[in-house]
Amino acid sequence: MRTPLPPFAETTTGRRGFVQGLLLATALATLGWPAHAFAVPAVTTPTVLSGTELDLEIGRVTVNYSGKASVATAVNGSVPGPLIRLREGDAVTIRVKNNLDEMTSIHWHGLILPTEMDGVPGISFGGIAPGETFTYRFVVKQSGTFWYHAHTLAEQTGLYGPMIIEPKSEPPLAATAIIRSCSATGRTRLRFRSI
């Protein structure tokens, strides 16, 4: 018998919706509701990493998605990997250690980066060999919601996670009110006023 998924009020699309969905699924899995319908990380729950120097470790963990144990690829012991919070304009250093027995990578999806920091094996770099550490260094040039993932088969087994990049500074609030008035002669006037 097939178990229906829980009802959701609305379906979101785009990067922000994807990241919000990842976080919701992680929260529900962490709470164990319902355990048979969502992935429950075997080792740790995702954490939040922030700052300009981060360390990530890619390795295998045992997970139980449906009552049957299987092996997944984790970042810092969790599937999905930790939420990474960065700030626009910061120069960041992210050290990624590969504890797998195969080459892997991390691609920073949607970020504007130097080609050699993009994380696509065979195109922008050679990948991260087993037991090796690769250091990504780049300046964060935009803000928004993004995600990171492998460009190897490790993505299909769990190497992915959300990223939130805060704007350099909060944009000033500015609004313009449009006031429409009709005169007795039937003429419409539009007035613009900053508020």
Side-chain angles (χ1 to χ4, degrees):
M1 183 172 159
R2 191 176 204 153
T3 305
L5 292 175
F8 291 101
E10 66 180 66
T11 302
T12 56
T13 57
R15 284 190 301 239
R16 184 174 302 271
F18 175 78
V19 172
Q20 288 171 338
L22 271 177
L23 293 174
L24 174 64
T26 301
L28 291 174
T30 302
L31 297 172
W33 181 88
H36 63 278
F38 293 97
V40 179
V43 180
T44 63
T45 56
T47 57
V48 177
L49 300 176
S50 61
T52 58
E53 297 222 7
L54 306 175
D55 291 292
L56 303 177
E57 286 197 25
I58 300 170
R60 300 268 189 238
V61 295
T62 301
V63 295
N64 187 339
Y65 294 137
S66 61
K68 181 181 177 188
S70 64
V71 176
T73 305
V75 180
N76 288 11
S78 68
V79 178
L83 166 63
I84 295 176
R85 295 186 79 96
L86 303 174
R87 180 163 301 280
E88 179 183 12
D90 283 354
V92 298
T93 301
I94 304 174
R95 291 172 292 276
V96 179
K97 182 170 188 203
N98 180 5
N99 292 324
L100 301 174
D101 56 1
E102 62 203 38
M103 181 273 297
T104 194
S105 69
I106 290 187
H107 168 67
W108 312 100
H109 196 96
L111 294 189
I112 301 167
L113 302 169
T115 303
E116 63 276 8
M117 296 292 122
D118 195 39
V120 181
I123 297 195
S124 61
F125 83 132
I128 308 169
E132 296 293 318
T133 298
F134 184 82
T135 302
Y136 292 90
R137 287 187 178 93
F138 54 88
V139 175
V140 181
K141 297 185 177 187
Q142 76 258 46
S143 62
T145 55
F146 302 91
W147 69 302
Y148 59 92
H149 59 91
H151 262 261
T152 62
L153 290 177
E155 179 183 355
Q156 284 72 40
T157 58
L159 200 165
Y160 60 89
M163 274 191 310
I164 298 175
I165 301 176
E166 303 291 338
K168 187 182 290 187
S169 62
E170 291 297 318
L173 292 176
T176 302
I178 301 174
I179 302 167
R180 181 178 177 205
S181 63
C182 296
S183 67
T185 62
R187 294 178 42 187
T188 302
R189 288 184 15 187
L190 296 179
R191 295 181 197 170
F192 299 91
R193 179 176 297 159
S194 293
I195 55 172

